Amino acid sequence: MTLWRAALVALLLPTACSAEPMAAQPTLDGQPPIVIAHRGASGERPEHTLASYELAIEQGADFIEPDLVLTSDGILVARHENEISETTDVADHPEFAGRKTTRTIDGKAVTGWFTEDFTLAELKTLRAKERIPQLRGTAYDGRFEISTFEEILKLLARVNKGRAHPVGVYPETKHPSYFASIGLPHEAPLLALLDKYGYRGRAAPVFIQSFEVGNLKALRAKSDLPLIQLMDGEGGPADDPDMSYAAMATPAGLKAIATYADGIGPNKTMVIPRGALGTLGQPTRLVGDAHAAGLKVHPWTFRRENYFLPLAGKGGLDPAGHGNLAAEIEAYLATGVDGLFSDNPREAVPAAKQGAKR
């Protein structure tokens, strides 16, 4: 082994976390933190498929999370984006070659195939594939259909029958102002389906989330279901160019969010930032400030691959290798977060349960 490679291995192999230990903080309501299966068990099955959600439920997730976009006939389907070339085999269907186009989504030009140009029947002829094959492989590509939101709710109705603690649903409205601009708003079909399957009132096992603000305010005017304001480490809501997520994360911004939402879903680096080498830094004030405003905090996204883990948790040099996800989760639980999004409920669920005992 060359000297430089030995030095690199020493740098990347697990070491002590750079963040100093802190006294564990409580969640907002004193309840154990929840694990939200991010697009299902998307670290093991193609995301947003019924197979991914079913596996997440088997692995003990408290909530499953579908991102929702719409078809040309107004049906809510689960996809990470309305552009579907990365997550389906649409490019292999010559009958749809003519539908490839360029759209402006949230101010950015995007080229590909878009759900709003397909009927549900047409989308059902496609098959899902792994979005990041370089890290997770393609063994399950081509096996599963695109799932509708109603199919997901039917799955939950079936598995929750007789359960004392039902598995909840955590839908995200993707690009809601864009879809509203083309005559396909999320609100009516989303609320109608949730009501149809019994999701009513403040205690319903559901959170509706969005990176935009207007969509959440519109939902609050029509529903008392729990709402979550998503926040990224940079930029701001697509429907409010003058607002930044940084401003929304201040005490004043959080107080404003509390007038229409029940919690925030921040990029996890807003809770514990990372240093230049990927080390975990000291926690910010965000969790405490959010709790002071009466808001829950559900950061995203926790993944087991070395590529995504902080320096101390890496399990070697292979980006696709698996490291110590539990240690990262433990650091975040100590800040008092009320839950977390993970692609890997197999690891996240026991880590959250163990952390809640401390």
Side-chain angles (χ1 to χ4, degrees):
M1 180 182 292
T2 63
L3 182 61
W4 71 266
R5 183 171 176 82
L8 184 60
V9 170
L11 179 65
L12 293 181
L13 286 176
T15 59
C17 179
S18 64
E20 296 178 5
M22 61 174 287
Q25 301 300 305
T27 59
L28 178 63
D29 56 9
Q31 296 300 307
I34 61 172
V35 173
I36 305 136
H38 186 241
R39 311 172 195 170
S42 55
E44 299 188 46
R45 299 290 186 275
E47 63 188 38
H48 291 311
T49 60
L50 290 181
S52 182
Y53 297 125
E54 288 170 344
L55 183 58
I57 293 167
E58 292 173 9
Q59 293 173 349
D62 299 295
F63 284 76
I64 57 173
E65 188 241 9
D67 296 335
L68 299 179
V69 294
L70 292 105
T71 66
S72 63
D73 43 350
I75 306 300
L76 290 166
V77 295
R79 287 289 90 192
H80 173 51
E81 293 288 345
N82 54 328
E83 199 290 297
I84 54 174
S85 63
E86 286 190 337
T87 60
T88 75
D89 63 356
V90 64
D92 298 329
H93 286 251
E95 68 272 26
F96 298 136
R99 305 217 191 157
K100 187 174 184 180
T101 188
T102 299
R103 295 273 165 77
T104 301
I105 311 296
D106 296 348
K108 298 179 181 180
V110 181
T111 299
W113 290 262
F114 297 84
T115 59
E116 61 267 30
D117 294 329
F118 293 79
T119 64
L120 176 61
E122 289 173 328
L123 286 181
K124 283 292 188 180
T125 68
L126 307 180
R127 292 297 178 266
K129 68 178 184 180
E130 174 56 50
R131 186 173 58 87
I132 45 176
Q134 64 274 31
L135 296 180
R136 293 175 176 168
T138 58
Y140 292 93
D141 283 9
R143 298 193 189 186
F144 310 119
E145 295 181 350
I146 292 177
S147 54
T148 68
F149 187 42
E150 183 160 23
E151 288 170 342
I152 295 165
L153 295 178
K154 285 181 177 178
L155 167 65
L156 287 171
R158 176 172 57 82
V159 300
N160 282 333
K161 190 173 182 180
R163 283 193 182 218
H165 302 287
V167 179
V169 66
Y170 206 124
E172 179 185 347
T173 57
K174 298 290 290 192
H175 311 299
S177 60
Y178 165 77
F179 274 104
S181 75
I182 59 173
L184 292 170
H186 283 78
E187 293 90 351
L190 173 62
L191 293 177
L193 281 172
L194 288 171
D195 184 73
K196 177 179 177 179
Y197 286 89
Y199 295 86
R200 306 182 189 100
R202 304 291 299 157
V206 59
F207 290 98
I208 303 173
Q209 55 176 330
S210 180
F211 279 102
E212 297 189 17
V213 174
N215 176 237
L216 291 176
K217 289 182 176 179
L219 286 166
R220 175 55 71 230
K222 300 174 182 177
S223 171
D224 60 354
L225 293 175
L227 305 178
I228 298 291
Q229 176 67 65
L230 296 174
M231 303 164 66
D232 207 346
E234 298 179 352
D239 62 333
D240 189 351
D242 296 326
M243 178 61 69
S244 71
Y245 291 125
M248 295 172 75
T250 64
L254 293 166
K255 185 177 180 179
I257 290 171
T259 64
Y260 63 87
D262 301 274
I264 59 172
N267 184 315
K268 63 185 179 183
T269 61
M270 300 177 75
V271 175
I272 303 180
R274 290 193 185 180
L277 295 177
T279 55
L280 286 181
Q282 293 298 319
T284 69
R285 294 178 43 184
L286 181 60
V287 176
D289 288 345
H291 284 178
L295 296 167
K296 294 179 182 289
V297 182
H298 299 156
W300 50 272
T301 302
F302 293 81
R303 299 172 167 118
R304 67 187 181 186
E305 291 88 5
N306 290 325
Y307 180 84
F308 300 110
L309 287 168
L311 180 62
K314 293 184 186 297
L317 291 173
D318 181 3
H322 299 167
N324 192 349
L325 176 59
E328 182 187 23
I329 289 174
E330 181 179 350
Y332 279 83
L333 293 181
T335 70
V337 297
D338 304 279
L340 55 92
F341 291 81
S342 179
D343 291 5
N344 305 104
R346 185 185 301 278
E347 289 82 8
V349 169
K353 287 182 179 179
Q354 184 63 32
K357 294 177 182 178
R358 298 183 178 181

